[in-house]
Structures are given as C-alpha cells and as structure tokens.
Amino acid sequence: MNAYASIQASDIVPTSRQRQWTQKTRDVVLCRRVIDETHDVKTFVLTSAADRMFCFSAGQYVLVHLRINGAAMTRSYSVSSPPTRPLDLQITVKRKPGGLASNWLHDNVRPGSEIEIEGPLGSFNLDELPAQKPVFLSGGSGVTPVMSMLRALTDRADDREIRFIHSARTPGDIVFRSELEALAARFPNVQVTLICNQGGPAWTGSTGRIGGRMLLSLVPDLHKRTVFACGPEGYMKTARACLDAIGLPPAQYHEESFGGSNGSRSEMGSAVPSSVRFARSGLEYQCTPGETLLEAARNCGIYIPTACQQGVCGTCRIAKLSGEVAMDDLGGLNAEEKSAGYVLACCSRPQGTVLLDI
C-alpha cells in the first residue's frame, strides 16, 4: 500500500495552484512513472502539467488524444487509480498485436513525456451505481476499472463484503496480482479469487473458465449482490450467460466493455430487427443486433468521418431523416443539433428502419 492508503480526496485541501480537474476537462498531463505490470501491460502514472488535482469517480475512463505518424487519433482507457489519490491519475494499457495506440504508448511514453487527455467520462462507476455488496468480475485487462473501485473502497477502509473474481490466461498475465493478494490479506471483508485458463505446475489457484456453478460456489449469496463486470467481449458473453442462467436480476448487473460503452443485460438484449437506408446512395443494410450506424455504413463501404468513437467529439454527426435510434451520447451533440435531427453514428443503434441523409 502506498502513502495515500488512508487518505480520501475530501481530506485534501488544494493549494491555490492545485485546481480541481472538472468534468470533461481536456488537459496536458506529464508521465511521471511507467510501471511494468506484466510482460505486455504497463501502467502510466500521470500528473497534470497545470498542477491540478484529478476529480473523477472510481470506474470512469479518459480519452487519450495522440498524434501518431502525423495522424490524430483518440483512444479510451479506464482509470486504474482511485479518486482517493487525486494527485496523480493512472491508466493501465495492454500491448495489443497490431494495436497502433497501445503499441505507441508502450514504445514512446517515458517519464517526462507529455500527452493530452480528456475526461473523466462514463457512467460505469460507484457514484452512479452504488452497491452494498459488490461483486467485481473481470477478465484480462478489463481489471482496470474495477481495480479503481476496489482501491477506492479499501482506501476508505469500507466494511462492505467485497468479492473480486479475476480471470487471466496464465499466472504471468494476472495484472495487479501482488496488490490483489495483499489487499485480500489485509482486509478481512475483501475476498479475491484469481482464475487462470492455463495454470502451470506452480499454480495452486483455480483453473478453467468462469461458470454459473463456480460463481455460486465462490459467492453463495450472489442473488443478493450487485455485479460489476468488465473484460473482452468473449469473457463478457460468458459472464452474461452465467448470470442469466443463475437468474441474477438485470438491475443488479452493470458492465463496461472496452471502448467505453456500458449497459445492462436487459438493454443489450432489447434489439429489434433493424435496417439502415442511405438516402443519397440508395443503399440499404440489414443490421445485426447491437450494430451502430457507423458499423452499418462501413459495411456498405460508406465513409463517415469519426474520431473518438465514444459519443464525445461529435465528428460522426449525421442527419437522421426518419426512424428511431438508441443513442449513448456523452456530450457530442448540443440540444439544437438533437432537435434538428442529428445523431452520432458511432454510438447510435437503429430501432427498426432508419433513413440517413448520406
């Protein structure tokens, strides 16, 4: 545990220079330290170049604005540090084969580097989704937002019964392993279970994939708890199927998928047969459940400019001539644009037939 372990954000009085980092602030930050978590995961410890303290909710994410080979791009990364430690902000990034942004961060960001971030963003957080008896489910690098939640709760010495279940490919791929084990040893109300798909001869923990029977054996009172889940889509599908089979009420389930979108199982399963018609080209596309207008356009070979792909920047704004969409707008449209019929292609899913002015 570091020196901030028992300090809450409300206990720290900012100096005249340490102004609060507010909602949707776009700021230049300095990298103070790079931590090698595993062979392909690094944590970047960031501080504000303007000497601001960071104010966010445990579980939220930030947008990282980069310029790589002359091209501007934006990626979202969950904050892995807790809001109880407001003097720095940490993002934990897994290197992905062929991943342009993640590889660039790993190869180029060093102590002293400057990058630009925007945030905080996201409703997957403990402030908006309170829970008396939380269960944190994570797979791979999906551990980052729930780790922020766990750190916040233990920093406050919260006495809630916390269950933390994390899945990784091998023991060497477990992010934050030593800290998770230390927190479980230090706090009797925190129970941590680490599961590996491939254990190896030295591994004495659980192996295999999560299942309904396994979850009930680890958390017998699961029906009375609130689940927070994050991980790759394959992991999330398995988690949702397990919890559906168990009969966990949808209101007690919250998830964050990579890319910043979140929702409940009931919302994800509410898709109706839908299609998108493109007025200028005359093309029409039959959507699969959950597809966005942007994905529909790309599948038809139609170009729509985009940047953040989170519903924030407004670059993919497009006029909707008719039909209904479910839009997860995070501030990319103002009230006038919405009333004029504009939608954001990156985060709008058609509900029936939609006609676009393109």
Side-chain angles (χ1 to χ4, degrees):
M1 300 295 291
N2 68 27
Y4 293 168
S6 62
I7 300 176
Q8 297 189 31
S10 59
D11 297 329
I12 300 177
V13 179
T15 66
S16 59
R17 296 182 62 205
Q18 289 176 326
R19 294 174 292 145
Q20 288 284 347
W21 195 62
T22 56
Q23 284 288 329
K24 289 193 67 176
T25 296
R26 188 159 176 168
D27 207 356
V28 175
V29 294
L30 296 174
C31 177
R32 296 296 186 187
R33 186 181 177 194
V34 180
I35 303 170
D36 291 319
E37 303 288 359
T38 70
H39 63 98
D40 62 354
V41 176
K42 294 180 183 291
T43 289
F44 299 92
V45 182
L46 311 172
T47 60
S48 172
D51 203 21
R52 294 187 178 95
M53 292 199 303
F54 296 101
C55 183
F56 58 96
S57 297
Q60 289 190 300
Y61 66 95
V62 295
L63 300 178
V64 177
H65 299 279
L66 303 172
R67 183 167 290 277
I68 302 176
N69 299 327
M73 63 181 58
T74 303
R75 295 291 186 271
S76 62
Y77 294 104
S78 296
V79 180
S80 55
S81 56
T84 45
R85 311 174 197 178
L87 301 182
D88 63 48
L89 181 145
Q90 301 177 20
I91 58 172
T92 301
V93 180
K94 178 181 175 65
R95 181 189 288 273
K96 299 179 180 178
L100 186 59
S102 64
N103 289 342
W104 189 90
L105 289 169
H106 273 242
D107 294 338
N108 293 277
V109 176
R110 300 288 183 269
S113 299
E114 289 189 354
I115 59 175
E116 189 175 23
I117 66 172
E118 182 177 354
L121 298 162
S123 58
F124 181 78
N125 65 78
L126 285 180
D127 290 337
E128 295 187 46
L129 305 170
Q132 289 303 312
K133 300 177 72 174
V135 175
F136 300 118
L137 294 180
S138 59
S141 55
V143 70
T144 50
V146 292
M147 190 65 185
S148 175
M149 295 179 182
L150 178 64
R151 285 169 165 167
L153 292 171
T154 53
D155 277 3
R156 298 185 178 107
D158 195 292
D159 61 359
R160 277 176 274 189
E161 294 181 10
I162 301 167
R163 300 294 178 264
F164 196 104
I165 304 170
H166 177 66
S167 297
R169 189 173 63 87
T170 70
D173 293 301
I174 300 174
V175 184
F176 309 127
R177 178 180 176 180
S178 60
E179 183 178 355
L180 286 168
E181 292 174 340
L183 290 173
R186 182 173 184 180
F187 295 94
N189 60 309
V190 176
Q191 178 180 301
V192 172
T193 301
L194 303 176
I195 305 169
C196 291
N197 292 344
Q198 305 169 24
W203 177 248
T204 59
S206 300
T207 57
R209 299 180 182 275
I210 60 169
R213 185 174 299 178
M214 174 187 288
L215 291 177
L216 286 174
S217 68
L218 295 172
V219 192
D221 62 343
L222 184 59
H223 295 88
K224 300 178 181 179
R225 291 178 173 268
T226 302
V227 174
F228 296 85
C230 184
E233 184 53 32
Y235 173 88
M236 300 301 288
K237 287 181 179 178
T238 300
R240 288 192 292 266
C242 292
L243 296 170
D244 278 332
I246 291 170
L248 183 76
Q252 293 168 220
Y253 176 82
H254 310 289
E255 70 174 35
E256 176 82 310
S257 298
F258 295 136
S261 63
N262 62 78
S264 68
R265 297 200 318 281
S266 59
E267 292 169 340
M268 308 252 331
S270 63
V272 297
S274 303
S275 63
V276 180
R277 294 172 55 203
F278 301 93
R280 300 184 192 180
S281 64
L283 297 175
E284 182 169 355
Y285 178 77
Q286 298 296 319
C287 298
T288 59
E291 276 192 299
T292 64
L293 300 180
L294 180 62
E295 291 168 330
R298 286 176 171 173
N299 288 332
C300 287
I302 295 175
Y303 173 73
I304 296 178
T306 184
C308 74
Q309 298 189 35
Q310 306 297 325
V312 175
C313 67
T315 303
C316 64
R317 183 188 71 170
I318 190 170
K320 176 173 65 66
L321 301 178
S322 65
E324 299 295 329
V325 300
M327 181 169 63
D328 298 322
D329 175 23
L330 293 176
L333 293 176
N334 58 38
E336 291 77 13
E337 290 169 327
K338 289 180 181 179
S339 63
Y342 285 96
V343 296
L344 297 174
C346 72
C347 60
S348 295
R349 294 168 175 79
Q351 309 293 294
T353 299
V354 172
L355 179 63
L356 300 178
D357 186 19
I358 187 173

